[in-house]
Amino acid sequence: MKISYQWLTRFIQLNETPEELDDLLTQSGLEVEGIETYETIQGGLEGVVIGEVLECEQHPNADKLKVTKVDIGAGEPSPIVCGAPNVAKGQKVIVATVGCTLYPTSGESFKIKKAKIRGEVSEGMICAEDEIGLGASHDGIMILDTDLKNGTPAAEYFDIKNDHVFEIGLTPNRADGASHFGVSRDLKAMLGRETSFEKPELPLKTGNRPIEVIVDNYDACPRYSAIVIDNVEVKESPEWLQHSLKAIGLAPINNIVDITNFVCHGLGQPMHAFDADQIEGNKVTVKTLPKGTKFTTLDEKERELNDFDLMICNETGGMCIAGVFGGIKSGVTEATKTIFLESAYFDPAWVRKTAQAHTLKTDASFRYERGTDPNITVDAIKYAVKYIQELAGGEIASDLVDLYPSPIADFETTVKYKNIDRLIGKQLPKDEISTILESLDIRLEDKTDEQFRAVIPPYRVDVTREADVVEEVLRIHGFNNVELDEFNGADYLADFNEKDPNRIRRTISDVLVGSGFEEILTNSLTNPAYVENTDGFESSDNVNILNKLSEELGVMRQSLVFTGLESLQHNINRRQTNLKFFEMGKVYSMDGEKYIERQGLSLFVTGNKQDESWLQESKPVDFHDLSAVVYKVLNKFNISNFVSEPTESPLYQYGLDIKFNNKIVAGLGKLKGKVTKLAEIKQDVFYADLDWAALLKAYKTGLEYQPVPKFPEVRRDLSLVLDKKVTFEQAKNLAFKTERRLLKRLNVFSVYEGDKIEEGKKAYAINFILQDENKTLNDKQIDKVMANLMRSFEQELKAVIRK
């Protein structure tokens, strides 16, 4: 949001430099991201001065050139060769001195240099109006009628005033600061000065052009104010108004539209001026239209309306999308003679939903979505009428319409002084607290020595609780003014936590990066449609955003999967298809009335294992590529006695749940096509979700070292024919249950399914590693262990041992 320094001075007296205001605004919560200089004439005529032609002679080598000597107030007169037909001795002229840069009305800028023109020295340039950006005429040089001294800067003669424009990063909660008047209210509190907001009285009605106004939906439009002005003259705005708008990046259109923009950015109240002759039936109705109704907006684009789009209508149809965008026939043109001036308060949720549905972001919707002041609509009309009559003439042709059946009440909350001191970290004088709050238009009632009741105007939409009031006090008092005691200290130095979450996080990140993964950071706000369209999630568990920016960012994420898929889709759409991502982030949910916040780790693998190469064939990633990394991560937590079993999560087409102490600490598998389709991803995606908090809790500190065994390992192989429903994990667990001491590890080195064995069966070829740490195993011991293992497989798993 852009705020003009000069425009601010319309509302508050300022003696501070732009840099000083930068600090003040940032401290108050209106963070200044940058300051730009706006020049009414580009370059500000720097280096351009008033001069006097002392001599003017014909150029000896050119018929159309003159050789002049010009006094520019710098001692010796400057020789200047001039080609203008109207140059003559004794004239006061505009001179561009050597070294300055000119910005002409058309064409590229150029620098004035000392030169020789047809053999004659020229040290400067006598200028026409188009050459310094003041107009379009190039018929001859500008001749001035002035008594100003030679050498006087031309900017002083033309009364050129530059402006400084602040770029403010306005946060969604600071709707009260979305205007020059709103910013001046913060400066009023910071500087202890009064703001001046002119509230003129409406002139008497002299015309007779009433227009009936009906509001069908007061939930969407709690207040609607309007007036009719007849016999206006639509024309170009004066320079002061054009420059005010240009300074903040707006293009002037005509005096009527420019005044509505001037009020919008000045007071924060969006307005719309309708051509009254286009209001069929002399009747305006605020209502919704049937879904699918066609409506053409000012950008000449035909749109299909939703049944939740609030419209400003005449008797035959819509004229304007309320609070968002005007219709093609509702605008003011040079032919307009009568205007219907609207100033309304629309409900933020209605405007936000409509603006998002039509992907329209306008100055009006920007303010209505965040919440405007319902009590300023009539004052804004009076303010606008004053300027309209000054710049466009006209007469009041109707009574002021102000439909406001249920006024929006002030917010009220009880504030205790002890809580102010506790939250700020220091005790503030009660008089200072009162002064700050009253300067912010917050009334203090029912005051006692312990507390007071704060009465907050509706335009401060973010101040509804005691903590919000304390925040208002603190930001005006100044965060930098909360002193730290130089003797702060502690008589106890805590031990370092054995489980350092940050160190563990860095370790895991290093492992994943070393495995070819890249870290992503995604938005915690997400689309509620993901949960609605995915099994295993409940919309009732969503943490909803009260002051949401859009419907697509309306809830806190319940899982890292959806925002991660969005990141995959963003890269895949840019032809980056072989991806390995990980994210460490928080997820949020509701458990009844209780908010749940959980830290998670997500892994995503998709595409091929490596890029195409002549060295080796490129193969798609599979489940085992992901599971290998997951087990590598678990090993870094020094967790060994975990159990894996087939997952029942509806997210996966197939996968595993990994449990520790009977609690799922990780789930992994291939995502269902229904899930990836939500992010418009067509290729397979393998996903793992690790419970970071549970893993941290299970993390084992320290390492246990064992000497290298002195006695050799022994390997024995078995081929088991099992039912397809039996998993390797079941076979593994049974093996360790049968032989706990000598069996060290086992591994599948071949899996077969085909016509060589019975249908519904599969064959595992498994190697078993046996070792006694105290002696060398003999054949008798080995055979006994293998016999026990085969017996267990046959009895428990109904396995057939292929010998």
Side-chain angles (χ1 to χ4, degrees):
M1 183 187 73
K2 295 183 182 294
I3 293 294
S4 156
Y5 183 98
Q6 295 297 335
W7 201 334
L8 277 176
T9 60
R10 290 177 171 271
F11 298 108
I12 189 169
Q13 180 184 348
L14 294 176
N15 306 315
E16 289 71 22
T17 65
E19 291 72 21
E20 290 170 335
L21 280 192
D22 178 345
D23 290 339
L24 287 170
L25 292 174
T26 299
Q27 288 179 38
S28 73
L30 298 173
E31 183 179 358
V32 177
E33 297 177 341
I35 304 176
E36 300 173 355
T37 299
Y38 170 76
E39 299 166 331
T40 54
I41 296 177
Q42 190 175 3
L45 297 184
E46 187 175 349
V48 181
V49 299
I50 293 174
E52 182 178 355
V53 181
L54 302 179
E55 296 180 14
C56 182
E57 304 291 342
Q58 183 66 43
H59 194 294
N61 302 316
D63 293 339
K64 294 184 178 180
L65 298 178
K66 301 285 180 65
V67 178
T68 68
K69 286 192 175 181
V70 184
D71 179 9
I72 60 171
E76 289 293 322
S78 299
I80 298 176
V81 176
C82 180
N86 62 332
V87 64
K89 179 181 178 181
Q91 293 173 338
K92 287 274 193 167
V93 292
I94 298 294
V95 180
T97 59
V98 173
C100 80
T101 300
L102 293 184
Y103 299 85
T105 303
S106 60
E108 298 294 325
S109 61
F110 57 93
K111 190 172 184 178
I112 302 299
K113 299 178 181 178
K114 183 177 180 180
K116 269 193 175 184
I117 302 176
R118 295 286 185 94
E120 296 293 325
V121 174
S122 183
E123 299 178 353
M125 174 178 169
I126 304 175
C127 303
E129 66 176 44
D130 67 323
E131 292 168 333
I132 58 174
L134 278 176
S137 174
H138 195 68
D139 295 336
I141 61 170
M142 297 182 70
I143 301 171
L144 310 180
D145 181 12
T146 179
D147 294 327
L148 289 174
K149 290 182 180 181
N150 298 333
T152 300
E156 184 177 328
Y157 174 81
F158 291 110
D159 194 25
I160 293 174
K161 294 180 180 177
N162 295 335
D163 196 1
H164 292 87
V165 180
F166 302 95
E167 183 67 47
I168 293 179
L170 192 70
T171 52
N173 63 313
R174 289 302 310 275
D176 62 287
S179 67
H180 287 78
F181 180 56
V183 172
S184 75
R185 285 186 297 221
D186 269 15
L187 292 175
K188 165 190 172 183
M190 297 286 287
L191 298 171
R193 298 177 197 154
E194 288 301 316
T195 55
S196 57
F197 166 27
E198 188 177 0
K199 300 179 182 179
E201 290 299 319
L202 278 176
L204 295 174
K205 182 178 76 169
T206 55
N208 188 24
R209 184 70 185 275
I211 291 180
E212 183 182 3
V213 178
I214 298 173
V215 176
D216 280 355
N217 189 335
Y218 279 109
D219 289 334
C221 178
R223 187 174 192 179
Y224 193 89
S225 308
I227 200 166
V228 178
I229 307 174
D230 201 4
N231 297 323
V232 296
E233 181 185 1
V234 181
K235 57 185 179 181
E236 189 178 78
S237 296
E239 285 191 359
W240 71 264
L241 180 52
Q242 290 194 43
H243 287 311
S244 294
L245 298 178
K246 287 178 181 178
I248 61 171
L250 297 182
I253 299 174
N254 59 53
N255 53 355
I256 301 297
V257 175
D258 292 349
I259 288 168
T260 61
N261 284 331
F262 185 70
V263 175
C264 176
H265 290 268
L267 302 182
Q269 173 59 45
M271 305 188 79
H272 191 73
F274 296 85
D275 186 333
D277 293 329
Q278 300 294 325
I279 301 177
E280 298 185 25
N282 276 341
K283 182 179 179 181
V284 170
T285 305
V286 184
K287 62 180 181 180
T288 55
L289 294 176
K291 183 176 182 179
T293 301
K294 306 288 186 182
F295 180 71
T296 304
T297 45
L298 275 172
D299 57 1
E300 300 182 358
K301 182 177 179 180
E302 185 177 77
R303 304 174 188 274
E304 281 195 11
L305 299 178
N306 303 293
D307 53 9
F308 54 75
D309 294 335
L310 190 68
M311 300 293 294
I312 311 299
C313 306
N314 57 31
E315 276 200 339
T316 60
M319 299 187 295
C320 174
I321 303 178
V324 180
F325 210 22
I328 190 69
K329 295 182 179 179
S330 70
V332 171
T333 67
E334 290 184 359
T336 300
K337 297 299 178 186
T338 306
I339 61 171
F340 175 81
L341 190 62
E342 167 196 279
S343 176
Y345 174 77
F346 299 115
D347 181 78
W350 281 74
V351 174
R352 187 182 308 117
K353 192 173 183 180
T354 292
Q356 191 64 38
H358 295 287
T359 62
L360 285 170
K361 292 296 179 185
T362 62
D363 287 336
S365 68
F366 176 84
R367 286 158 178 80
Y368 279 129
E369 286 180 28
R370 286 159 172 76
T372 57
D373 184 359
N375 297 325
I376 204 175
T377 60
V378 171
D379 288 334
I381 282 184
K382 294 177 180 179
Y383 192 75
V385 166
K386 171 183 178 294
Y387 285 104
I388 289 173
Q389 290 198 315
E390 284 181 10
L391 305 182
E395 57 185 3
I396 305 301
S398 75
D399 292 325
L400 175 66
V401 175
D402 186 25
L403 303 180
Y404 195 21
S406 302
I408 296 173
D410 293 338
F411 304 119
E412 294 188 8
T413 186
T414 299
V415 181
K416 295 181 178 180
Y417 289 111
K418 68 177 183 179
N419 288 336
I420 296 177
D421 299 339
R422 176 176 59 84
L423 291 173
I424 290 179
K426 65 180 289 188
Q427 186 173 13
L428 298 184
K430 294 178 182 178
D431 289 345
E432 181 181 352
I433 294 171
S434 299
T435 300
I436 289 174
L437 293 177
E438 287 167 0
S439 68
L440 294 172
D441 299 332
I442 297 174
R443 302 196 312 274
L444 279 65
E445 298 183 354
D446 301 336
K447 289 197 289 186
T448 68
D449 290 338
E450 289 78 31
Q451 65 184 36
F452 59 86
R453 181 164 52 89
V455 182
I456 306 145
Y459 73 79
R460 295 203 175 274
V461 296
D462 66 321
V463 185
T464 57
R465 306 167 302 163
E466 181 183 36
D468 299 329
V469 176
V470 177
E471 182 184 359
E472 293 296 285
V473 173
L474 176 56
R475 70 183 184 84
I476 300 302
H477 174 75
F479 291 90
N480 295 339
N481 294 324
V482 179
E483 303 85 0
L484 291 175
D485 190 338
E486 62 179 309
F487 299 108
N488 277 353
D491 55 7
Y492 171 72
L493 184 62
D495 294 330
F496 288 106
N497 192 342
E498 290 187 1
K499 295 182 181 181
D500 183 348
N502 292 323
R503 184 180 61 80
I504 297 171
R505 176 172 178 158
R506 287 194 299 271
T507 299
I508 300 302
S509 295
D510 290 343
V511 169
L512 291 171
V513 171
S515 301
F517 281 73
E518 296 176 285
E519 185 170 9
I520 60 174
L521 181 64
T522 62
N523 197 343
S524 296
L525 304 180
T526 190
N527 194 331
Y530 290 140
V531 165
E532 294 167 4
N533 294 299
T534 305
D535 296 333
F537 295 95
E538 297 294 337
S539 296
S540 58
D541 294 338
N542 280 335
V543 176
N544 295 297
I545 304 300
L546 296 179
N547 192 23
K548 54 192 171 187
L549 295 173
S550 67
E551 292 300 321
E552 280 71 16
L553 298 174
V555 299
M556 305 289 281
R557 62 187 176 194
Q558 288 192 42
S559 169
L560 296 172
V561 64
F562 303 115
T563 52
L565 286 174
E566 288 177 350
S567 187
L568 289 180
Q569 182 245 9
H570 179 83
N571 284 272
I572 292 170
N573 286 350
R574 286 153 181 81
R575 303 194 178 185
Q576 303 298 313
T577 55
N578 304 330
L579 303 168
K580 294 180 179 180
F581 287 164
F582 76 94
E583 178 175 14
M584 295 183 180
K586 292 182 178 180
V587 294
Y588 311 86
S589 60
M590 295 289 295
D591 183 7
E593 297 296 320
K594 185 180 179 182
Y595 291 97
I596 306 296
E597 179 178 301
R598 181 175 65 84
Q599 185 81 22
L601 167 62
S602 63
L603 309 180
F604 296 85
V605 179
T606 187
N608 292 330
K609 296 183 181 183
Q610 67 277 326
D611 293 333
E612 291 179 334
S613 169
W614 62 274
L615 289 172
Q616 57 183 343
E617 182 182 355
S618 182
K619 296 181 180 180
V621 295
D622 57 31
F623 172 80
H624 301 289
D625 295 308
L626 178 63
S627 65
V629 176
V630 171
Y631 285 117
K632 188 185 291 187
V633 169
L634 294 177
N635 287 335
K636 283 296 178 180
F637 282 89
N638 299 324
I639 300 174
S640 57
N641 55 335
F642 46 77
V643 177
S644 59
E645 57 187 40
T647 185
E648 296 181 359
S649 170
L651 276 178
Y652 302 111
Q653 185 174 327
Y654 58 82
L656 290 177
D657 285 336
I658 299 176
K659 293 183 176 181
F660 179 76
N661 290 341
N662 210 32
K663 176 181 174 61
I664 296 176
V665 295
L668 64 151
K670 179 182 177 182
L671 289 175
K672 289 182 177 178
K674 178 183 177 182
V675 177
T676 56
K677 188 177 179 182
L678 292 173
E680 300 179 356
I681 296 176
K682 297 179 181 178
Q683 61 192 57
D684 292 343
V685 178
F686 295 90
Y687 169 70
D689 181 15
L690 288 78
D691 188 335
W692 187 259
L695 290 173
L696 282 179
K697 186 176 180 180
Y699 177 79
K700 293 181 180 179
T701 59
L703 294 174
E704 294 182 2
Y705 295 93
Q706 293 181 338
V708 176
K710 297 178 181 180
F711 304 97
E713 294 178 344
V714 176
R715 169 174 166 165
R716 291 290 185 269
D717 296 342
L718 281 182
S719 178
L720 308 179
V721 178
L722 299 163
D723 191 276
K724 280 188 177 181
K725 295 181 181 179
V726 177
T727 66
F728 170 70
E729 193 68 24
Q730 289 175 281
K732 176 183 174 182
N733 293 338
L734 180 59
F736 280 110
K737 180 180 177 183
T738 303
E739 178 54 57
R740 299 178 185 273
R741 189 174 70 86
L742 298 181
L743 180 61
K744 299 303 179 184
R745 60 186 183 276
L746 68 163
N747 180 58
V748 175
F749 61 89
S750 178
V751 178
Y752 174 77
E753 295 181 28
D755 57 4
K756 304 295 183 183
I757 57 177
E758 185 181 345
E759 185 178 354
K761 300 289 186 178
K762 61 185 176 183
Y764 280 161
I766 305 176
N767 60 46
F768 298 82
I769 306 299
L770 307 177
Q771 185 181 47
D772 191 327
E773 296 177 358
N774 299 312
K775 62 183 179 178
T776 301
L777 290 171
N778 57 42
D779 289 342
K780 184 177 180 181
Q781 290 172 308
I782 296 169
D783 291 342
K784 181 180 179 181
V785 170
M786 297 307 297
N788 290 337
L789 288 172
M790 288 187 285
R791 188 183 312 109
S792 294
F793 290 142
E794 289 172 335
Q795 293 176 355
E796 299 289 336
L797 302 180
K798 309 301 180 186
V800 175
I801 311 297
R802 301 176 71 186
K803 303 177 181 177

